[in-house]
Each structure stands twice: as C-alpha cells, then as structure tokens.
Amino acid sequence: MEEEIQALDANHMWDVVALPKECKPIGCKWIYNVKYNAHGPVNRYKARLVTKGYTQTHRIDYDETFAPVAKITTV
C-alpha cells in the first residue's frame, strides 16, 4: 500500500483544497488485489484507492457526469 501511495503522490494525482462549508467530504476506501504470474505464485500485491461515489446525490452534490471513453475511430 505504501508503494501505491508513493506512486499516486509522484504522479500528482490530487491537490489538497479547502472544502466549502455547505459540502460534505466524500469517503474513500482501499481495494486490495493479489496478482499471480502464469505459474501460480504471487507476482505482486496491488492496492487501489477508490471514492465512495454512491454517497453523492444528483443535483445536490453534482450536476454533470462524464465517462472518459475513446471512440473507435480515434483508436
């Protein structure tokens, strides 16, 4: 997990900002996964930090949603 935190920090994946008074923070949690190589033994342990977006309410906490998907013609 420490390795993943260092990678996120090195890639400048977030900025610390002040939270407006009328807003509540979104929670987060760690998702752990074990990656195996082709022969079976453990290759590495992986950790991801994800937000609990399901706690938000449409039109109260957000107005728009985006899905970053490439068109087939672009690929």
Side-chain angles (χ1 to χ4, degrees):
M1 187 167 85
E2 189 65 35
E3 181 181 330
E4 296 293 332
I5 292 174
Q6 289 174 357
L8 291 172
D9 194 35
N11 290 322
H12 306 288
M13 295 301 294
W14 57 67
D15 294 321
V16 178
V17 296
L19 185 67
K21 292 179 182 178
E22 67 275 2
C23 296
K24 60 181 180 181
I26 300 171
C28 61
K29 65 180 177 178
W30 285 97
I31 304 295
Y32 301 102
N33 198 1
V34 179
K35 298 290 184 173
Y36 299 96
N37 64 19
H39 301 292
V42 174
N43 189 23
R44 71 178 283 206
Y45 296 97
K46 188 162 175 89
R48 289 179 293 155
L49 182 64
V50 297
T51 61
K52 297 180 180 179
Y54 55 84
T55 61
Q56 294 181 304
T57 306
H58 185 62
R59 300 260 186 235
I60 295 174
D61 298 314
Y62 66 95
D63 292 323
E64 299 177 287
T65 59
F66 300 93
V69 178
K71 293 181 181 179
I72 193 68
T73 56
T74 306
V75 178

